[in-house]
Amino acid sequence: GVRREKVEVIPNGVDGEWFRGGEPMIRGRPYFVYVGNVKPHKNLKVLLQAFQRILADCDHQLVIVGKREGFITGDVEVEQFAATMGDRVQFTGWLDDDALRSWLKGAEALVFPSFYEGFGLPPLEAMAAGVPAIVSNAASMPEVCGDAALYFDPNRPEELADLMVSVTKLPGPARSEIIAKGRERAAMFTWEKTAARMNEVFEAV
């Protein structure tokens, strides 16, 4: 019942550290990475279903970064499902910013399958770090990521599986184009802009 003119939408920002150089994680095999808590609305079940479909088509691991315990609405089913794929799926638990940047920078792509996000910062952070983002086309994600991400229907694991395989086969120029577009998009979101817009609203009030 609130009038639209009384609502101001102000986006988050991407910390400048994501754009700077840093050491990517070096591992024995390539990997996809997911960043976020292990909760039902994050839709990790579909991510795991998609990954299961491509196990024979690529040598990649799936690395799940984020907290997975202590929630009222945790997702135990995800851990049970992941266990059926052995060491192809790895949980890192919570990581500090430096470790998170290292894991992201070394990834083939970030996969972000959420049904709902208030904003969705991990895809922008991945883009800033020079990593392609495969993102669900739900809620705020298309508005935040624009044309710089690869999108899929979060209810269709087969669609996500196809995108994950296609990213592994991208020729160099095509991958470079996606990375450049991602960096340009991420650069549009700064905490300085967020603070300035907040200040304008406070001044107006």
PDB file of all heavy atoms in Angstrom, residues 52-67:
ATOM      1  N   GLN A  52      25.380 -33.229 -12.013  1.00  0.00           N
ATOM      2  CA  GLN A  52      25.335 -34.690 -12.159  1.00  0.00           C
ATOM      3  C   GLN A  52      25.202 -35.081 -13.631  1.00  0.00           C
ATOM      4  O   GLN A  52      25.788 -36.075 -14.077  1.00  0.00           O
ATOM      5  CB  GLN A  52      24.163 -35.251 -11.361  1.00  0.00           C
ATOM      6  CG  GLN A  52      24.118 -36.765 -11.287  1.00  0.00           C
ATOM      7  CD  GLN A  52      22.965 -37.243 -10.430  1.00  0.00           C
ATOM      8  OE1 GLN A  52      21.810 -36.855 -10.654  1.00  0.00           O
ATOM      9  NE2 GLN A  52      23.243 -38.070  -9.445  1.00  0.00           N
ATOM     10  N   ARG A  53      24.467 -34.292 -14.389  1.00  0.00           N
ATOM     11  CA  ARG A  53      24.257 -34.563 -15.807  1.00  0.00           C
ATOM     12  C   ARG A  53      25.549 -34.451 -16.624  1.00  0.00           C
ATOM     13  O   ARG A  53      25.667 -35.070 -17.681  1.00  0.00           O
ATOM     14  CB  ARG A  53      23.234 -33.581 -16.391  1.00  0.00           C
ATOM     15  CG  ARG A  53      21.795 -33.858 -16.026  1.00  0.00           C
ATOM     16  CD  ARG A  53      20.894 -32.703 -16.460  1.00  0.00           C
ATOM     17  NE  ARG A  53      19.500 -32.995 -16.247  1.00  0.00           N
ATOM     18  CZ  ARG A  53      18.670 -33.490 -17.170  1.00  0.00           C
ATOM     19  NH1 ARG A  53      19.115 -33.723 -18.395  1.00  0.00           N
ATOM     20  NH2 ARG A  53      17.420 -33.747 -16.889  1.00  0.00           N
ATOM     21  N   ILE A  54      26.485 -33.616 -16.146  1.00  0.00           N
ATOM     22  CA  ILE A  54      27.676 -33.357 -16.961  1.00  0.00           C
ATOM     23  C   ILE A  54      28.941 -34.039 -16.428  1.00  0.00           C
ATOM     24  O   ILE A  54      30.033 -33.809 -16.942  1.00  0.00           O
ATOM     25  CB  ILE A  54      27.927 -31.841 -17.109  1.00  0.00           C
ATOM     26  CG1 ILE A  54      28.334 -31.214 -15.770  1.00  0.00           C
ATOM     27  CG2 ILE A  54      26.701 -31.143 -17.674  1.00  0.00           C
ATOM     28  CD1 ILE A  54      28.774 -29.756 -15.896  1.00  0.00           C
ATOM     29  N   LEU A  55      28.801 -34.892 -15.425  1.00  0.00           N
ATOM     30  CA  LEU A  55      29.972 -35.540 -14.830  1.00  0.00           C
ATOM     31  C   LEU A  55      30.822 -36.266 -15.867  1.00  0.00           C
ATOM     32  O   LEU A  55      32.056 -36.234 -15.796  1.00  0.00           O
ATOM     33  CB  LEU A  55      29.532 -36.524 -13.737  1.00  0.00           C
ATOM     34  CG  LEU A  55      29.029 -35.923 -12.422  1.00  0.00           C
ATOM     35  CD1 LEU A  55      28.565 -37.032 -11.490  1.00  0.00           C
ATOM     36  CD2 LEU A  55      30.113 -35.086 -11.754  1.00  0.00           C
ATOM     37  N   ALA A  56      30.167 -36.907 -16.815  1.00  0.00           N
ATOM     38  CA  ALA A  56      30.907 -37.674 -17.820  1.00  0.00           C
ATOM     39  C   ALA A  56      31.421 -36.802 -18.958  1.00  0.00           C
ATOM     40  O   ALA A  56      32.259 -37.243 -19.753  1.00  0.00           O
ATOM     41  CB  ALA A  56      30.018 -38.787 -18.376  1.00  0.00           C
ATOM     42  N   ASP A  57      30.936 -35.571 -19.047  1.00  0.00           N
ATOM     43  CA  ASP A  57      31.294 -34.695 -20.167  1.00  0.00           C
ATOM     44  C   ASP A  57      32.458 -33.762 -19.865  1.00  0.00           C
ATOM     45  O   ASP A  57      32.978 -33.105 -20.767  1.00  0.00           O
ATOM     46  CB  ASP A  57      30.086 -33.838 -20.580  1.00  0.00           C
ATOM     47  CG  ASP A  57      28.914 -34.691 -21.047  1.00  0.00           C
ATOM     48  OD1 ASP A  57      29.162 -35.698 -21.736  1.00  0.00           O
ATOM     49  OD2 ASP A  57      27.761 -34.351 -20.723  1.00  0.00           O
ATOM     50  N   CYS A  58      32.835 -33.674 -18.608  1.00  0.00           N
ATOM     51  CA  CYS A  58      33.941 -32.777 -18.257  1.00  0.00           C
ATOM     52  C   CYS A  58      34.643 -33.315 -17.009  1.00  0.00           C
ATOM     53  O   CYS A  58      34.115 -34.177 -16.306  1.00  0.00           O
ATOM     54  CB  CYS A  58      33.434 -31.351 -18.008  1.00  0.00           C
ATOM     55  SG  CYS A  58      32.343 -31.180 -16.582  1.00  0.00           S
ATOM     56  N   ASP A  59      35.812 -32.781 -16.736  1.00  0.00           N
ATOM     57  CA  ASP A  59      36.617 -33.254 -15.616  1.00  0.00           C
ATOM     58  C   ASP A  59      36.484 -32.337 -14.398  1.00  0.00           C
ATOM     59  O   ASP A  59      37.226 -32.459 -13.443  1.00  0.00           O
ATOM     60  CB  ASP A  59      38.088 -33.324 -16.057  1.00  0.00           C
ATOM     61  CG  ASP A  59      38.962 -33.999 -15.018  1.00  0.00           C
ATOM     62  OD1 ASP A  59      38.525 -35.032 -14.466  1.00  0.00           O
ATOM     63  OD2 ASP A  59      40.070 -33.499 -14.740  1.00  0.00           O
ATOM     64  N   HIS A  60      35.534 -31.421 -14.445  1.00  0.00           N
ATOM     65  CA  HIS A  60      35.423 -30.378 -13.437  1.00  0.00           C
ATOM     66  C   HIS A  60      34.902 -30.885 -12.091  1.00  0.00           C
ATOM     67  O   HIS A  60      34.194 -31.889 -12.020  1.00  0.00           O
ATOM     68  CB  HIS A  60      34.489 -29.276 -13.924  1.00  0.00           C
ATOM     69  CG  HIS A  60      35.039 -28.486 -15.065  1.00  0.00           C
ATOM     70  ND1 HIS A  60      35.390 -29.064 -16.272  1.00  0.00           N
ATOM     71  CD2 HIS A  60      35.294 -27.153 -15.190  1.00  0.00           C
ATOM     72  CE1 HIS A  60      35.841 -28.123 -17.086  1.00  0.00           C
ATOM     73  NE2 HIS A  60      35.788 -26.966 -16.463  1.00  0.00           N
ATOM     74  N   GLN A  61      35.253 -30.128 -11.060  1.00  0.00           N
ATOM     75  CA  GLN A  61      34.623 -30.269  -9.758  1.00  0.00           C
ATOM     76  C   GLN A  61      33.626 -29.128  -9.583  1.00  0.00           C
ATOM     77  O   GLN A  61      33.663 -28.125 -10.304  1.00  0.00           O
ATOM     78  CB  GLN A  61      35.659 -30.194  -8.631  1.00  0.00           C
ATOM     79  CG  GLN A  61      36.524 -31.430  -8.490  1.00  0.00           C
ATOM     80  CD  GLN A  61      37.479 -31.309  -7.302  1.00  0.00           C
ATOM     81  OE1 GLN A  61      38.194 -30.328  -7.191  1.00  0.00           O
ATOM     82  NE2 GLN A  61      37.491 -32.304  -6.444  1.00  0.00           N
ATOM     83  N   LEU A  62      32.739 -29.283  -8.614  1.00  0.00           N
ATOM     84  CA  LEU A  62      31.839 -28.215  -8.205  1.00  0.00           C
ATOM     85  C   LEU A  62      32.216 -27.838  -6.779  1.00  0.00           C
ATOM     86  O   LEU A  62      32.207 -28.684  -5.880  1.00  0.00           O
ATOM     87  CB  LEU A  62      30.385 -28.671  -8.258  1.00  0.00           C
ATOM     88  CG  LEU A  62      29.350 -27.694  -7.687  1.00  0.00           C
ATOM     89  CD1 LEU A  62      29.347 -26.378  -8.473  1.00  0.00           C
ATOM     90  CD2 LEU A  62      27.957 -28.318  -7.700  1.00  0.00           C
ATOM     91  N   VAL A  63      32.590 -26.575  -6.577  1.00  0.00           N
ATOM     92  CA  VAL A  63      32.996 -26.093  -5.263  1.00  0.00           C
ATOM     93  C   VAL A  63      31.890 -25.188  -4.717  1.00  0.00           C
ATOM     94  O   VAL A  63      31.517 -24.197  -5.358  1.00  0.00           O
ATOM     95  CB  VAL A  63      34.325 -25.316  -5.336  1.00  0.00           C
ATOM     96  CG1 VAL A  63      34.698 -24.762  -3.962  1.00  0.00           C
ATOM     97  CG2 VAL A  63      35.430 -26.224  -5.857  1.00  0.00           C
ATOM     98  N   ILE A  64      31.374 -25.552  -3.550  1.00  0.00           N
ATOM     99  CA  ILE A  64      30.281 -24.801  -2.923  1.00  0.00           C
ATOM    100  C   ILE A  64      30.856 -24.029  -1.745  1.00  0.00           C
ATOM    101  O   ILE A  64      31.285 -24.619  -0.750  1.00  0.00           O
ATOM    102  CB  ILE A  64      29.155 -25.751  -2.474  1.00  0.00           C
ATOM    103  CG1 ILE A  64      28.557 -26.445  -3.700  1.00  0.00           C
ATOM    104  CG2 ILE A  64      28.073 -24.993  -1.697  1.00  0.00           C
ATOM    105  CD1 ILE A  64      27.522 -27.500  -3.382  1.00  0.00           C
ATOM    106  N   VAL A  65      30.891 -22.706  -1.892  1.00  0.00           N
ATOM    107  CA  VAL A  65      31.473 -21.827  -0.877  1.00  0.00           C
ATOM    108  C   VAL A  65      30.364 -21.160  -0.083  1.00  0.00           C
ATOM    109  O   VAL A  65      29.512 -20.485  -0.657  1.00  0.00           O
ATOM    110  CB  VAL A  65      32.351 -20.736  -1.535  1.00  0.00           C
ATOM    111  CG1 VAL A  65      32.902 -19.790  -0.473  1.00  0.00           C
ATOM    112  CG2 VAL A  65      33.484 -21.362  -2.340  1.00  0.00           C
ATOM    113  N   GLY A  66      30.368 -21.347   1.217  1.00  0.00           N
ATOM    114  CA  GLY A  66      29.369 -20.675   2.042  1.00  0.00           C
ATOM    115  C   GLY A  66      28.990 -21.483   3.269  1.00  0.00           C
ATOM    116  O   GLY A  66      29.272 -22.676   3.371  1.00  0.00           O
ATOM    117  N   LYS A  67      28.344 -20.803   4.158  1.00  0.00           N
ATOM    118  CA  LYS A  67      27.919 -21.410   5.417  1.00  0.00           C
ATOM    119  C   LYS A  67      26.834 -22.452   5.167  1.00  0.00           C
ATOM    120  O   LYS A  67      25.939 -22.239   4.353  1.00  0.00           O
ATOM    121  CB  LYS A  67      27.386 -20.304   6.337  1.00  0.00           C
ATOM    122  CG  LYS A  67      27.071 -20.741   7.738  1.00  0.00           C
ATOM    123  CD  LYS A  67      26.623 -19.534   8.572  1.00  0.00           C
ATOM    124  CE  LYS A  67      26.220 -19.977   9.975  1.00  0.00           C
ATOM    125  NZ  LYS A  67      25.719 -18.839  10.776  1.00  0.00           N
TER     126      LYS A  67
END
